[in-house]
Amino acid sequence: MNSLLSLLQPYPFERLKQLFAEVTLPANYSAISLGMGEPRHPTPQFIKDTLCSHLEGLASYPATAGDIRLRTAFTEWIQRRYQLDLNPATQVLPINGSREALFAFAQTVIDAAQPDPMVVCPNPFYQIYEGATLLAGAKPYYAPSDPARNFAVDWDSVPLDVWQRTQLIFVCSPGNPTGAVMPLNEWHKLFALSDRYGFVIASDECYSEIYFRDEPPLGGLEAAKKLGRHDFKNLISFTSLSKRSNVPGLRSGFVAGDAALIKNFLLYRTYHGSAMSPIVQEASIAAWGDEEHVAQNRALYRKKFAQVTPLLAGVMDVALPDAGFYLWAKVPDALGMTDAEFAKALLAQYNVTVLPGSYLAREAQGSNPGAQRVRMALVADTEECVEAALRIVQFIQSRTA
């Protein structure tokens, strides 16, 4: 067996299952889960209809590069969203959801034959970054998020000797779990570091279409253009339909950026067998071509967050994020609980599931930046999310009165 498998840590939801193993659920409260970031708004009917009307696609092997109509749908969306003109033949590629592509991309980029290869990722982070790094034969370096700067990643804290060995950096903007969007000056810093040390930037942007202010979040390719980097050197962005269009089961997204990286990634994916089903391609073309359902979806999240955030802010340190569908809340010091103890006691008393923030981060540089926080995914309908918030308020007030 691959000995690197032994380096993988349990996924956060495995740890949550173990934490809750001996909890007796209260019979007088229905279960409400804010734990998993799985979209639960209805899938738009036109996407389901498109799937059903193209079943003849089952009779054909798909090309790994995808149909040119699909790649054109990607570039047309990029033009509308970011005012960028990309070549559909060379600068975009379909992926089966951002999760598998983030993992596969690391296997493509990292050269384990080089001395002590490193990958830098934010902390807290999406655990795929870590697993992809380890199984590619590299070591992760965890750059902490700074609560004093709206949870911006402290790239300046990364030591020089780490940058010198870095081959890949994962960026998540809007961030999971904090919802922070990386501003242009941060991108400028990363591009300068990439030019100096030669590493590749993988920009995970799967939450880009769920935001709460008038201006949509800045994307990595958009930042590159603003800074005069029109060839997108050493930059690939990852985008998905899962959150945008409420189709996590479709497993559909795309990567875009540096044509040289796209070419090598296509080679890897051809051997990896990562072609997108022709049926999924047709549904994806339809989804990327429509913005009305995206605006409706965004409005649902805005309504939820507008009602839930003030309720929780009365008893916790929590604020409206830049984007995404998570609240990143601090466990009140007055409770005298760790984040895991908070999650366990909340479930036992009120049958509400939240995810301990320490499960989404690693102990690094002397601390775990996720400790004493919990992630709440507001993915259920508004009524259920408000009910969960009210129970959390009651839970905290009952223990701090």
Side-chain angles (χ1 to χ4, degrees):
M1 297 296 292
N2 185 344
S3 62
L4 296 176
L5 287 168
S6 63
L7 301 176
L8 299 180
Q9 297 201 34
Y11 216 61
F13 301 106
E14 295 177 36
R15 298 179 65 186
L16 197 64
K17 184 178 180 180
Q18 294 171 4
L19 178 68
F20 293 162
E22 298 179 0
V23 172
T24 300
L25 300 178
N28 54 330
Y29 288 102
S30 60
I32 301 178
S33 178
L34 307 181
M36 184 172 289
E38 180 180 62
R40 288 163 58 188
H41 294 167
T43 298
Q45 187 62 43
F46 79 92
I47 297 178
K48 295 189 286 187
D49 290 343
T50 304
L51 277 169
C52 294
S53 63
H54 288 85
L55 296 180
E56 70 277 3
L58 290 172
S60 303
Y61 280 119
T64 305
D67 191 284
I68 188 62
R69 295 182 303 113
L70 175 64
R71 300 200 304 272
T72 300
F74 300 156
T75 57
E76 288 177 346
W77 180 80
I78 290 171
Q79 209 292 321
R80 293 193 303 272
R81 173 64 168 81
Y82 298 112
Q83 292 75 57
L84 302 175
D85 293 316
L86 271 67
N87 187 332
T90 62
Q91 291 183 293
V92 292
L93 196 64
I95 56 175
N96 299 317
S98 58
R99 178 173 176 166
E100 71 88 8
L102 287 162
F103 179 87
F105 189 68
Q107 316 314 304
T108 305
V109 169
I110 293 170
D111 181 3
Q114 296 299 315
D116 300 319
M118 300 285 291
V119 173
V120 176
C121 65
N123 195 22
F125 61 96
Y126 183 39
Q127 194 158 315
I128 293 300
Y129 308 156
E130 178 187 68
T133 298
L134 294 171
L135 288 177
K139 294 180 181 178
Y141 183 89
Y142 307 103
S145 299
D146 183 1
R149 296 191 300 123
N150 190 32
F151 301 102
V153 179
D154 186 6
W155 305 113
D156 292 333
S157 70
V158 179
L160 175 62
D161 67 311
V162 171
W163 286 129
Q164 290 172 335
R165 290 181 288 149
T166 295
Q167 297 186 14
L168 175 66
I169 179 172
F170 284 108
V171 172
C172 188
S173 180
N176 173 11
T178 69
V181 172
M182 204 161 79
L184 188 62
N185 66 316
E186 295 284 322
W187 281 108
H188 184 272
K189 180 180 298 183
L190 287 189
F191 291 147
L193 288 166
S194 175
D195 289 343
R196 188 178 311 156
Y197 299 110
F199 60 73
V200 172
I201 302 172
S203 181
D204 180 356
E205 302 175 11
C206 66
Y207 296 95
S208 68
E209 303 313 289
I210 302 172
Y211 52 89
F212 305 99
R213 295 164 180 83
D214 293 335
E215 184 177 357
L218 178 69
L221 300 180
E222 182 183 21
K225 180 186 176 184
K226 288 178 181 291
L227 295 169
R229 302 173 68 87
H230 299 287
D231 60 354
F232 310 117
K233 181 183 177 182
N234 281 336
L235 173 65
I236 294 289
S237 68
F238 295 71
T239 308
S240 169
L241 285 174
S242 295
K243 281 80 175 176
R244 173 189 181 272
S245 299
N246 295 304
V247 287
L250 194 65
R251 310 315 304 135
S252 178
F254 69 86
V255 293
D258 185 334
L261 291 173
I262 292 287
K263 181 180 179 180
N264 284 313
F265 195 32
L266 174 58
L267 174 63
Y268 178 91
R269 296 179 69 74
T270 300
Y271 279 84
H272 194 211
S274 300
M276 180 184 290
S277 162
I279 304 171
V280 174
Q281 291 192 48
E282 294 294 340
S284 301
I285 291 170
W288 289 113
D290 181 80
E291 289 298 323
E292 182 179 355
H293 77 284
V294 183
Q296 293 172 351
N297 186 48
R298 188 159 51 241
L300 291 175
Y301 282 112
R302 286 179 169 180
K303 178 181 178 183
K304 265 189 286 196
F305 275 78
Q307 294 187 41
V308 170
T309 306
L311 290 173
L312 293 175
V315 294
M316 305 180 81
D317 177 6
V318 63
L320 187 72
D322 291 337
F325 52 48
Y326 301 116
L327 285 176
W328 186 235
K330 188 175 186 299
V331 176
D333 293 337
L335 293 178
M337 292 178 166
T338 66
D339 50 306
E341 290 169 342
F342 177 91
K344 186 175 182 179
L346 176 64
L347 181 70
Q349 188 170 342
Y350 285 105
N351 211 353
V352 174
T353 299
V354 297
L355 188 62
S358 59
Y359 290 9
L360 296 164
R362 292 288 178 263
E363 185 83 16
Q365 295 85 53
S367 67
N368 183 319
Q372 297 310 104
R373 291 193 174 267
V374 291
R375 191 189 77 175
M376 305 178 190
L378 302 192
V379 291
D381 61 38
T382 300
E383 182 179 352
E384 193 172 11
C385 288
V386 169
E387 171 61 23
L390 291 173
R391 293 185 198 177
I392 293 169
V393 170
Q394 291 172 357
F395 173 76
I396 293 172
Q397 289 179 338
S398 71
R399 291 168 178 256
T400 56

